[in-house]
Amino acid sequence: MASKSCSFDITSATNLAEVQNACNQCMLEIRQRFDFKGSKSQVEIDMKTAEVKIISDDAHKLNSVIDILKGKLVKRKVSIKALEYGNIEAASGDTVRQSIKIQQGIPQEKGKDIVKHIKSMGLKKVQAQIMDDQLRVTGKDKDDLQSVIADLKKKDFGIDMTFTNYR
């Protein structure tokens, strides 16, 4: 009788519908706030490229808009680690803009770091492999897999990680 192998996947998928809702709520709050009266501040999401574009009057107001957006994202249970900030650049009409990429999938470099970390744990019967933009971790013992999950949750890789398909 062959012993059964157990596995789980490590993914990083952000719900873009929730990000869009957070952007809409952010715009509502900006329109209502007194400190943004007459401001050209704007928050838009491009669903195809998973990118949020923020335009504001100056860098200070831009940071305020980002803080509002972060608050809305947290309320909608979207991880702040999924945001990758671009540079602040000058835009037309005395405004500044910044693009924020929303992480979909685990980047190759981060995937390699996670695999290396799992191997460094010293669990002999646990293997990790990169599959496109996610990782699959397999092992004979469920306790080993649970200790891998617990250890990965403790360590910060700078990305949002979700553990799925635990079998």
Side-chain angles (χ1 to χ4, degrees), residues 107-114:
Q108 284 290 99
E109 285 303 310
K110 296 286 183 185
K112 288 176 183 175
D113 290 346
I114 295 169

Side-chain angles (χ1 to χ4, degrees), residues 81 110 151-161:
K81 288 181 181 179
K110 296 286 183 185
D151 198 58
L152 290 175
K153 283 182 178 179
K154 283 184 211 162
K155 187 161 170 48
D156 182 21
F157 288 98
I159 58 171
D160 178 40
M161 289 190 295

Side-chain angles (χ1 to χ4, degrees), residues 26-27 30-31 33 35-44 52-69 87-100:
C26 184
M27 280 306 299
I30 288 170
R31 286 190 205 111
R33 280 181 47 166
D35 55 340
F36 283 100
K37 201 118 185 123
S39 170
K40 298 173 186 162
S41 297
Q42 229 176 331
V43 179
E44 298 172 344
V52 176
K53 291 181 177 66
I54 301 176
I55 299 171
S56 196
D57 301 331
D58 54 54
H60 178 68
K61 275 204 173 122
L62 184 82
N63 289 332
S64 297
V65 172
I66 290 172
D67 287 343
I68 296 168
L69 180 62
N87 293 327
I88 298 174
E89 47 196 44
S92 61
D94 295 333
T95 58
V96 292
R97 74 173 158 234
Q98 185 172 20
S99 293
I100 302 173

Side-chain angles (χ1 to χ4, degrees), residues 1 3 7 20 31 68 83 88 113 145-146 150 155:
M1 188 166 124
S3 62
S7 68
Q20 186 174 30
R31 286 190 205 111
I68 296 168
L83 304 179
I88 298 174
D113 290 346
L145 294 182
Q146 287 176 338
K155 187 161 170 48

Side-chain angles (χ1 to χ4, degrees), residues 103-155:
Q103 174 189 327
Q104 296 290 58
I106 297 176
Q108 284 290 99
E109 285 303 310
K110 296 286 183 185
K112 288 176 183 175
D113 290 346
I114 295 169
V115 169
K116 191 185 295 182
H117 180 73
I118 292 171
K119 285 181 179 177
S120 73
M121 289 176 64
L123 300 169
K124 289 187 173 36
K125 294 182 178 148
V126 175
Q127 285 91 34
Q129 63 191 49
I130 299 173
M131 298 171 19
D132 294 329
D133 58 354
Q134 68 181 19
L135 276 82
R136 169 144 309 150
V137 181
T138 55
K140 299 268 185 227
D141 189 10
K142 283 187 176 183
D143 291 339
D144 286 347
L145 294 182
Q146 287 176 338
S147 67
V148 169
I149 291 174
D151 198 58
L152 290 175
K153 283 182 178 179
K154 283 184 211 162
K155 187 161 170 48

